[in-house]
Amino acid sequence: MVSALLVLAVVLDGFTACFAYGVNRIKIPLLSAALISLMGTGMLMLSLGAADWIGSYISFRACKVVSFSVLFLVGFCNLFQNSVKAVLQKAADNSKKMSFRWSGISFMLSICLDETKADADCSKVLSAKEALALGTALSIDSLATGFGSGLVGQNYLMIAILALSMHMVAIFLGHFLGEKAGANVKTLQLDWLGGAIIIVLAFLRLLG
């Protein structure tokens, strides 16, 4: 159950992003979807492994406290992510400084604020290169969430399988529903749900 909640929390961003892609009729080829899934899963497993290594040097009680603190903070921030994005997007629109640069931070900030900007060439097809950029932006939460969960141990094989499969399902289901919804529904506001799930994980870690 905990592993499923963990993976669900980290794939929700991908689901909402691909919903927006569907609404905007931006195609996501199988290769691009696989790269996003691999990026998200890889980042999650990397953070879990790093947390497991650090956890071997501190007591189990300390691990539980740190795990709870990290997860609760990430979840709390996610609850208000939409409001923060709106403020930052307004500031970006006013400053006109959010330009595309492949190796520049401004590109990543643009994608974090509006995931559909990963389609930088406006081709209406998410290329492999653009998928890697989108996958990186979507994986930011995975690093912190995985680190918090990994401090008290996890079934890594189960999480890897769940993450790969659920990422792919989230990508294609989100895109499909976005296409069906049409232009009347611009975005899905599910950041609060991801935040709520992570906060639940925090208390499960503390009490478990």
Side-chain angles (χ1 to χ4, degrees):
M1 176 183 174
V2 173
S3 296
L5 284 175
L6 169 63
V7 175
L8 178 60
V10 300
V11 304
L12 277 175
D13 280 349
F15 177 83
T16 55
C18 293
F19 181 90
Y21 273 71
V23 169
N24 288 278
R25 297 298 189 269
I26 300 173
K27 296 184 182 299
I28 304 178
L30 180 59
L31 175 60
S32 296
L35 288 173
I36 296 171
S37 178
L38 287 170
M39 178 69 73
T41 301
M43 290 292 191
L44 178 61
M45 300 311 295
L46 178 65
S47 61
L48 286 171
D52 189 48
W53 178 74
I54 292 173
S56 64
Y57 291 96
I58 58 179
S59 69
F60 182 72
R61 183 179 294 274
C63 283
K64 291 179 67 172
V65 172
V66 174
S67 176
F68 170 80
S69 301
V70 171
L71 290 173
F72 186 85
L73 179 61
V74 173
F76 184 80
C77 290
N78 278 11
L79 287 177
F80 302 98
Q81 187 170 309
N82 288 324
S83 300
V84 173
K85 279 185 176 182
V87 172
L88 292 177
Q89 185 65 63
K90 184 177 181 180
D93 291 341
N94 291 336
S95 67
K96 306 299 182 183
K97 293 182 180 179
M98 301 298 283
S99 58
F100 170 80
R101 293 199 304 271
W102 168 244
S103 59
I105 188 66
S106 62
F107 176 50
M108 295 308 301
L109 286 175
S110 294
I111 298 176
C112 289
L113 296 178
D114 180 0
E115 292 85 353
T116 59
K117 288 186 178 180
D119 181 30
D121 58 6
C122 300
S123 64
K124 293 295 183 179
V125 177
L126 190 68
S127 68
K129 182 178 180 180
E130 292 165 344
L132 286 173
L134 177 60
T136 301
L138 294 176
S139 297
I140 295 174
D141 276 356
S142 296
L143 289 172
T145 305
F147 182 81
S149 292
L151 282 169
V152 289
Q154 288 284 357
N155 185 330
Y156 294 140
L157 179 60
M158 178 184 293
I159 291 176
I161 294 172
L162 277 174
L164 282 170
S165 57
M166 289 180 68
H167 267 109
M168 294 297 288
V169 170
I171 290 168
F172 288 117
L173 180 59
H175 190 269
F176 173 78
L177 293 177
E179 286 185 323
K180 293 299 182 183
N184 293 328
V185 181
K186 293 297 183 183
T187 58
L188 283 179
Q189 305 295 338
L190 293 180
D191 294 319
W192 66 270
L193 179 57
I197 292 173
I198 294 172
I199 289 175
V200 170
L201 280 173
F203 281 100
L204 288 175
R205 287 303 181 200
L206 184 65
L207 301 174

